[in-house]
Amino acid sequence: MAPAATPPTPEIASLSLQGNAPKGFAKRDALCAAELEVQALWEREKVFECNPSYNNEGEKDDKFIVTFPYPYSNGHLHLGHAFSLTKAVFRAQFERNRGKNSLFPFAFHCTGMPIQAAANKLKSEITQFGTPPIFPEEDPTIRAKMEADIAAAAKAKADKAAATGNKAKGGKTKLVQKSGTGIVRQWNILKRMVPEEEIPEFADPTYWLRYFPPIGVEHMKRFGSGVDWRRAFITTSINGYYDAFIRWQFNVLREKGKVLFGKRNNVYSIVDGQVCADHDRSEGEGVGPQEYVLIKLQVLAPDHGQERHGKMEKLLKSVEDKGRAGSVYLVPATLRPETMYGQTNCFILPTGEYGAYYIDATDEVFIMSARAARGLACQAYDAAKDVYFTKEFGKITCLETFSGDELLGLPLKAPNATYEKVYTLPLLTISMGKGTGVVTSVPSDAPDDYVALKALQDKPDFAAKYGITPDMVDPFEVVPIISIEGYGDASAVFICEKLGITSPNEKAKLTQAKDETYLKGFTLGVMTVGPYSGKKVSEAKPLVKDEMIAAGQAHLYFEPESKVVSRTNDECVVASTDQWYLAYGEESWCSAVKKHVLDSETFNAYDDTSLEKYDATLDWLKEWACTRQFGLGTFLPWDKQWVIESLSDSTIYMAYYTIAHYLQGENNLNGEESKSPENIKVEDLTDDVFNFIYRKGAPLPGSSGIPSETLTKMRDEFRYWYPMDLRVSAKDLIPNHLTMALYNHAAIWDDEPDLWPRGYYTNGHIMVDAEKMSKSKGNFLMMLETINSYSADATRFACADAGDTLDDANFSRDTANAAIVSLSNEATWIKEIL
C-alpha cells in the first residue's frame, strides 16, 4: 500500500469493472507502482534490518527468528518457492506486529552436483554442436526420422507388452512433448532465463553462483519478503567465510564421534563415480538401499532334450571343462529367505533378456538381468576383507546371453527346498526393472506364486505354449512351511480362495493379498519346518539368512528401493564404497532428538501428521554418506579428496545467519574480504574463533586477528537470536534436511538443548488452478512472472488462500485477479478517507 500522502491515481479513481476480472491492467499496474514505492522506502529506512535489543534492565527484548531452506541457485525462483515463503513472511510480520524483534534472514544454496552437472552438459553441447549450437533435431529431415524412431520404439514396447498380457503405458511419439523438442538441451533451458549471448559463460560452474543469487535477491525484494539482506550469502568454497564455518562444524562433529569412515552401501552413480544423495538426483528423492538375499539355484543338466537349451548345455560344458562343475546358478533376489523351504519352482520372464556373469570372488557363474549384474559389480562380497564380487569395481564379465525362453524348462537344485529338483517356469508379470529378473516361487506363502503355478497346472495348453511339460509342474504341490493363526499353514492358498483370485492379471487383489499375508506372516507366523521350527518368523528370518550365507547358498545383494536417476541421467545402483558418513540412528543421538521432538514443550510441529513423519524418519534414517569426490562445496577439512555434500553442509547454517552481517554484510553474497563490514579476514576464522562464538564456555582465542570486542559482539548476537523459533518448509524435506538439522543441532550443542530448533512448519506443494505445475501444461509459474501478472500483494493473497495443510495447495489465478480488484478498491477507499 502506498503512503497516505500519495494521492489516488486517476486510473484507480475512475476505473470501473464488471465481475471479478480487471478491465485492462490499470489497477494491477497501480498496485505494482505503489508496491515499488513502498519497497524503496523500506530499503531506504532499513526496515527489516534487525539487531539485538535490550530493555533498561539489560534483559533482551522478545525476539523471533524464522528461517526458510535456502533455494538452490540453478535458476529463478518459482511459485512453489513463493507459496512456502509466504508462511515465513507472514509469521515474521505477525510477530513484528506483536512487538517482537522479528528477524527473517535468507541465503542461496549452490553446493552439490546440479550446477556442476548442468555446466558439464552445456560444455559438452557447445563442444559437439558449436556456439550457438545447431542441434540435429532442428533439421526437419533428422527430426522426422527421430520421431519415426520414437514411434517405432513405442510400438515395439506396446507389442511386447501385449505379447506378455500386460498393458503398455502410453509412449511419447512426438519430440515436441515436454521440452518443445523432446530432447532436453541445457542450452535451451538457459535460453529461457538468460540472454543467449551470455549462455557460453555458464560452462563454468562458478558463473552460476555469480549470476543467479543476486537475481534471486531482487525477486525476493520485489515479493516484499521482509528479509534482512545484510545476512545473506551463498554456499561452497567460493564464499570463504561460510566455507570456514562448515569446516568448523565438521571438525566438531568428528570430535564428538559423529563422523565415521568405513565401507557402506549407498545409492551410487557409476557415471558420476560417487554416491548420489537426494539433491544429486533428478528422480528418486528419498529412496534408499534395499537389502535382498540372492538365492543360488544350481542349474542342472537339461533333461528334456529341448533345442532351446543348447546355449546352456555349452555353458555348463565349458564350466565343467575348467573344473568348476556345478557352479552355474540362477540367482533370484528375495526379501524372505526364511521361506525357501517351500520352493516349488523358479519363474522367468519369457521375453526377458538375461546374461551369464562370471563372479570372480566365488569362481561361479550367476544368471541374472544385465541391470542387476551392473549393480552387483559395485558391491562387496566380503566387506571386512575388502573383497568385491568382481575384480574390477563396476565391471563384470558376461559369458553368454539368454532370452527368457531359452531358460524355461531348466532343472534346478534349490537350497532348503523339499523337492530335490524344480524347474524354471514362465511368469509374464515379472519386472526386469526390479530384482534380478529371476523369481523363486513359494506358493504356500506368496499369492502371486500360488496363482501363477496353479494357472500352469490347470491350463496345460498355456504351459505347452512355453514348452513346459506336465512333469515340470504337476508333481509340485504346495509345501506348508509357516503357520498363521486364522490363515492356516498355507496363507497364500487361503487368501487367494478367500478373495477369489484365479488369474495373475488380478493385480489389485494380488497386491492386497500379498500385503496381508506378508504382514501377518512376519508378525504372527510360526515356522513349521527346518531347524527353526517353532520359532516366530520374525526371529527365524535373520537366522536362516545368516545360515544360508555361511553355507555358500546365498549372498547379500542391494539395489535402490525404487528407480533413482542422477542429474547426469544415470540410473543409479547401490554400491559398497569407502565413505565418510554421519552416524544418524546411533541410539543415544537418536533418543536425544526424539525426546526433543516429541515433547510439545520443546518442539512444535504444528501438525500431528508432520510429527508422526519426524518420528518415523528418526526410526529409519541411518548412516548417511556425507561426502562426494567431486562437485561444488566445502572440502572435508581432514581429508581434502572429499567434498561435503549438499544435505550435510546445510544443517546448522541458521546459526551462521546470526553473525553473517559482521563477516560479509549486504551486497556481498560471495564473501569478498574487501567488503567485510568488520574487516575480518577468512584466515582469521579459526576453529577457536567459532568455538568461542558458538560453544558454551569456550575461551576467548589467545591470539586472533579479530578484535575481542567484535568476537564478543558476535557471540552475544548468536546467544540473542538462538534458538531458532521457526523453520518453514515444504513437506518433502521432512525425511532428509529437516530431520538432519535436528540431529546436527543436537550434536553441536549437545550440552545446550535449549538451543535446538523450537518449531518446524511444513506445507504441501502448490498446484495452479487445481492442476500440478508443469511446463508442458503451460502453468509452471515463475515468482517474478506471477508478480508482474498480478502484483506482489495479489500474489501473496492468492498464496494465502491456497491452503495451509500438508495436502497440496491450489493457487487460483481467479483468486489473484479478484485480489487485484479488492486491493485496488481498498486502496482507493483509504486514500479517499484520508
Side-chain angles (χ1 to χ4, degrees), residues 363-686:
D363 197 21
E364 295 170 337
V365 179
F366 287 0
I367 297 173
M368 61 205 308
S369 68
R371 172 189 163 279
R374 181 174 183 258
L376 191 67
C378 299
Q379 295 174 22
Y381 167 75
D382 186 338
K385 296 181 179 178
D386 200 27
V387 176
Y388 282 70
F389 280 97
T390 58
K391 283 183 179 178
E392 188 173 355
F393 179 88
K395 294 188 178 180
I396 192 165
T397 301
C398 182
L399 303 176
E400 183 60 274
T401 60
F402 298 92
S403 68
D405 180 72
E406 290 173 320
L407 298 176
L408 293 176
L410 286 173
L412 309 169
K413 182 176 178 57
N416 287 355
T418 300
Y419 296 103
E420 283 294 319
K421 179 170 63 176
V422 298
Y423 287 89
T424 51
L425 305 178
L427 181 61
L428 308 186
T429 56
I430 290 176
S431 168
M432 298 299 287
K434 195 169 185 66
T436 63
V438 181
V439 178
T440 190
S441 173
V442 183
S444 59
D445 289 80
D448 292 275
D449 298 349
Y450 171 69
V451 171
L453 178 62
K454 198 156 190 330
L456 288 164
Q457 291 174 336
D458 293 346
K459 300 175 182 178
D461 290 345
F462 174 69
K465 176 182 176 182
Y466 293 98
I468 302 301
T469 59
D471 63 304
M472 296 177 184
V473 290
D474 290 346
F476 298 93
E477 297 179 354
V478 170
V479 179
I481 57 172
I482 295 171
S483 176
I484 307 173
E485 186 177 352
Y487 291 76
D489 58 6
S491 60
V493 178
F494 171 83
I495 197 69
C496 287
E497 290 177 351
K498 176 184 174 182
L499 298 178
I501 304 171
T502 59
S503 167
N505 294 322
E506 296 179 77
K507 294 182 180 178
K509 283 185 177 181
L510 280 169
T511 298
Q512 177 188 345
K514 178 180 177 180
D515 291 344
E516 187 172 332
T517 54
Y518 281 21
L519 177 61
K520 296 290 185 182
F522 184 75
T523 56
L524 302 176
V526 176
M527 300 295 297
T528 61
V529 298
Y532 305 108
S533 178
K535 279 189 177 291
K536 293 182 65 175
V537 168
S538 57
E539 297 172 352
K541 179 175 181 174
L543 299 174
V544 174
K545 178 184 76 172
D546 292 344
E547 184 181 77
M548 293 186 74
I549 291 173
Q553 299 171 330
H555 301 290
L556 291 183
Y557 164 71
F558 299 83
E559 62 179 46
E561 296 163 314
S562 59
K563 187 176 181 180
V564 176
V565 179
S566 72
R567 298 275 181 178
T568 51
N569 204 35
D570 177 37
E571 183 174 351
C572 295
V573 299
V574 170
S576 306
T577 58
D578 288 326
Q579 181 66 58
W580 290 102
Y581 62 93
L582 287 159
Y584 297 142
E586 185 271 317
E587 187 175 355
S588 61
W589 196 7
C590 181
S591 296
V593 176
K594 266 206 173 194
K595 180 181 177 182
H596 174 75
V597 169
L598 298 179
D599 185 346
S600 60
E601 294 295 317
T602 58
F603 184 81
N604 188 355
Y606 293 89
D607 181 276
D608 288 342
T609 303
S610 294
L611 189 60
E612 291 171 4
K613 289 180 181 292
Y614 293 117
D615 192 19
T617 299
L618 287 166
D619 284 336
W620 70 257
L621 182 61
K622 305 299 180 186
E623 298 164 345
W624 182 266
C626 59
T627 55
R628 304 290 176 267
Q629 292 196 298
F630 68 93
L632 302 175
T634 293
F635 289 102
L636 197 64
W638 61 87
D639 192 350
K640 291 184 170 54
Q641 66 174 313
W642 299 95
V643 178
I644 297 168
E645 61 91 30
S646 62
L647 278 166
S648 299
D649 81 338
S650 55
T651 54
I652 64 163
Y653 69 88
M654 313 84 185
Y656 183 80
Y657 282 134
T658 65
I659 66 169
H661 57 307
Y662 292 97
L663 305 177
Q664 298 183 223
E666 194 166 8
N667 298 320
N668 190 18
L669 293 172
N670 293 3
E672 296 177 33
E673 283 189 348
S674 61
K675 296 180 180 179
S676 173
E678 300 289 336
N679 296 313
I680 294 173
K681 297 184 183 303
V682 170
E683 64 185 27
D684 290 330
L685 290 176
T686 63

Side-chain angles (χ1 to χ4, degrees), residues 693-765:
I693 294 169
Y694 289 118
R695 300 175 72 180
K696 182 175 68 175
L700 187 71
S703 60
S704 174
I706 306 172
S708 58
E709 296 82 1
T710 303
L711 290 172
T712 301
K713 283 195 295 182
M714 288 193 283
R715 181 196 62 187
D716 292 348
E717 179 134 1
F718 165 68
R719 294 278 161 179
Y720 178 88
W721 290 113
Y722 248 56
M724 175 177 60
D725 298 288
L726 175 64
R727 188 157 181 80
V728 171
S729 168
K731 62 185 177 182
D732 54 311
L733 294 189
I734 291 176
N736 44 61
H737 162 72
L738 293 174
T739 303
M740 292 174 181
L742 288 164
Y743 261 119
N744 279 264
H745 277 82
I748 300 295
W749 294 284
D750 54 355
D751 56 346
E752 293 189 273
D754 288 346
L755 297 182
W756 302 359
R758 302 289 294 175
Y760 287 166
Y761 176 89
T762 50
N763 52 257
H765 300 134

Side-chain angles (χ1 to χ4, degrees), residues 201-234:
E201 300 285 353
F202 289 85
D204 175 3
T206 64
Y207 194 79
W208 299 66
L209 280 59
R210 297 191 296 271
Y211 186 88
F212 284 114
I215 293 175
V217 171
E218 293 309 310
H219 291 185
M220 287 281 290
K221 288 181 177 178
R222 184 64 190 88
F223 193 55
S225 302
V227 169
D228 183 347
W229 289 110
R230 299 172 303 159
R231 303 172 188 267
F233 58 88
I234 65 167

